[in-house]
Structure formats: structure tokens, C-alpha cells
Amino acid sequence: MNDRYSRQVLFPGIGKEGQAKISKKHVLIIGAGALGSGSSEILTRAGVGKLTIIDRDYVEASNLQRQQLYTEEDVLEKLPKAAAAEKRLGAINSAVEIRAIIGDATPELLEELVAGVDLMLDATDNFETRMMMNDISQKYNIPWIYGACVGSFGMSFSIIPGKTPCLNCLLRTIPLQGMTCDTGGIISPAVQMVIAHQTAEAMKMLVEDWDAVRTSFVSFDLWRNQYTSLKMSKAKFAGCLSCGEERTYPYLDHENMTKTTVLCGRDTVQIRPSNKGEISLDNLAGQLSALGYTVKGNPYLLSVEIGAERMVIFQDGRALIHGTKDLTHAKSLYQRILG
Ligand SMILES: [Zn+2]
């Protein structure tokens, strides 16, 4: 497949030299939902050297409308998104080294994963993880590209440590916290538009064309036909705790990490155990079946029916409890099943 990248090499912004650079770079994508599916596919097709992708969820029918890597078979198998993405991306371009991680993006895990990473892409659905990425970016001097979408609205911003303001600086002028839940639904073109902005910026950074990187905060509404580009050159805040002189990286503080979270826009609570360690899903399935529970699973997870709720348990002991937003109730179910 010698002419595999010929059209990209013909593009003056990339050329042979740019392609050689792309093939040596390592990108970390946090999230393998709608944004992560699209950006990982584009970068895999573009021939990035190494791609690490992390996700905590598994494929469900409601994902298929916009999460382009997944199929009906993945839904039937309840495959974790990271595992399904790894399989699909590997089939698209076998020359790319793909590492998929099924798990939650904790500060501890991110600090381990960023070794040797040239660039991070935001494909998360929650504010906490984005702020964590922002601190990691500043601490390890790795650029990252913010992206978010809801409904027909989307936005993106490129963050280069030491050069641009960081996401924490931006919070002083733009209320980004409300932009994280997809309770109002979402259309796929809005996702694709954010992916296009993020991956174009990614390519500029991978070929080290730093002057081409967009310095404004871009947002759009594809249904209302609105496009805005906000200058951010004055947004850098000297007292910022993430990128200022007296920085403390507040979002990497392990104590600040919530262990029980209601997932965005869904009747689902996630519980992460405080003690790390793998559990044997086979043994657990046996015990639960003996107790009369209906249990289904695959090598990565177990799904257990508990009355009106359903609990999905991963190897690391993390669980998603579907059918509730009540944290106390979810914790009592977790206790009942995992002791
Ligand atoms: Zn800052």
C-alpha cells in the first residue's frame, strides 16, 4: 500500500516531511464515544504512529446513530468501546500501533499513560475529566484539543502549554460547565463538525506547523446557522491554578476525585471501588447465578439484572448501575452484589 497516503502527501500543508512526522507521533484520545470514534478513525487513516484510546463504557444501541466505529454486533456482544474500537481501528490500518484501555480516566492512570505522548484529544463527556486533562497537559507540557457538542451545537479550542490560555483560564469568560450533558439529544453532524475541527488542529500539531494552529475559540450551531470565533489572546490568567506561576494542578488531586458519579444525560450511576485490584468475573458470575440472578457477559464485563435495575461490572471492580440516578440506592445495590 505504497500510495496509501498519497493524497495527504500531495496536500502542501503536510507533504512527505509532514507524513514522516505524523508516522512517528503518539496521540492519546480520552473517550471512545462519538468524538473519540471519529477522531481515532481519522488519525488511524492518516497514519499516526501510535494511538492510545481509553474508555469506561460499553457499546449500546443508542450509540450507533453517531458513534461511527461500532456495529450492531458490538451492541449484541456488549463489547467495551475500547475493545471494539481497537478491533475496528486495527482492521482500518494495521501499521498503526493501537493501545486500547478499558477504564476510567483517573489522574493516576492519565499520568501513567502520557509518557511519550505528543498530543491529547478530548473526547470525553464530562467536565471533571476535561479539567484533569488540562492539568496533565500543563504539568507534562503536552498540547491538547478541547471539543464538546450537544444538540446541534459544538465548540473546540486548541491548548498549547506556555503559549495559549488553558481551559481553566477560559472558565473565567466562557461558562463551559453546562456544555457537558447530552440531555437535549444530539445530531451526528454536530459531532462530525467538532471532530473536523479537532483533527485538523491535530494534524497541524503533528506536522509541527504551529503557526497554522487556530488561536480562537470556535463554536457553531448547525441548526440555527450560527458560527462564532472568539479571540482568546487576552484570556490567559496569571493567577490560574493550572497554568499560572503559582500553579497547584487542583484537578490532579486524588482526594478531589468522586468515586460515585451520575453519568451525563443517562439514568446511570458509576461506582469505582477505592481499593484497586482485578476481580474474577467468572467466579462472580457463578456465585450470582447460584443466587438466582440473571447474568450475561463477555470476557470484559458482566451484566446482572437486579429487579428494575441492571448492573454492569468490569474486571477492575467498577460498576455501572442503569435505571437509577439515586447515589445511595446505587451504592446499596453495589454492596449487595460485590460486598
Ligand atoms: Zn490557565
Side-chain angles (χ1 to χ4, degrees), residues 98-116:
I98 292 163
R99 184 179 177 203
I101 289 147
I102 304 162
D104 206 16
T106 58
E108 206 179 3
L109 180 59
L110 287 187
E111 296 209 45
E112 188 188 312
L113 291 181
V114 290

Side-chain angles (χ1 to χ4, degrees), residues 134 138 164-170 235-244:
N134 186 60
Q138 296 298 328
T164 68
C166 79
L167 199 67
N168 200 29
C169 292
L170 256 54
K236 198 163 168 63
F237 171 54
C240 175
L241 291 180
S242 295
C243 74

